[in-house]
Amino acid sequence: MGKKRILVIDGDLDFVNLIKPVFEEGGFEVATAATSREGLGAVAFEAPDAIIVDLALEKHDAGFDFSKAVKADPRYQKIPVLMTAAASGESKCEFCQELDGYWMKTDDFVNKPITAEDLLKRVNNLLAK
């Protein structure tokens, strides 16, 4: 069996560069995209086993649109989607997977900052389900 493939969709290049080597060391191939449009193309091209998508890509809620599009497509709806966001704190915009996951169309949700190691654990947990 080959390596698992993860697709990371985030416009924050520093964040992507931080988590990419941790996922590679964890046995993943890592594909990246910076926008939801690039991400949708990459889902078809890369055939990821899991997706990490940021909430605020080219607009403040583009991650929601991306997740809804993936989960609406029968070809991709079983791919676990973990959404990240730096939306808590001063913005007073907080989300919770247990309460909001049904309408966000995500399988997990975490607020940034999060360590790359913790993110890797969460993705591995999603893949183990």
Side-chain angles (χ1 to χ4, degrees), residues 25-43:
E25 289 172 20
F28 285 85
E29 291 180 6
V30 180
T32 64
T35 67
S36 60
R37 178 173 284 192
E38 287 177 17
L40 287 172
V43 170

Side-chain angles (χ1 to χ4, degrees), residues 7 11 13 23 33-34 43 47 67 82 90 101 104 111 123 126:
L7 173 60
L13 192 55
F23 274 85
V43 170
S67 295
L82 185 152
E90 289 183 19
M104 293 189 315
N111 282 305
V123 168
L126 285 174

Side-chain angles (χ1 to χ4, degrees), residues 13-62:
L13 192 55
D14 290 336
F15 178 74
V16 173
N17 289 335
L18 176 75
I19 68 169
K20 187 175 179 179
V22 173
F23 274 85
E24 289 171 341
E25 289 172 20
F28 285 85
E29 291 180 6
V30 180
T32 64
T35 67
S36 60
R37 178 173 284 192
E38 287 177 17
L40 287 172
V43 170
F45 184 76
E46 299 290 346
D49 295 292
I51 299 168
I52 297 173
V53 62
D54 188 55
L55 168 61
L57 295 163
E58 59 273 16
K59 59 181 185 161
H60 68 283
D61 63 350

Side-chain angles (χ1 to χ4, degrees), residues 98-111:
E98 290 76 24
L99 299 176
D100 302 315
Y102 74 96
W103 67 265
M104 293 189 315
K105 304 299 183 207
T106 56
D107 299 286
D108 198 1
F109 177 88
V110 295
N111 282 305

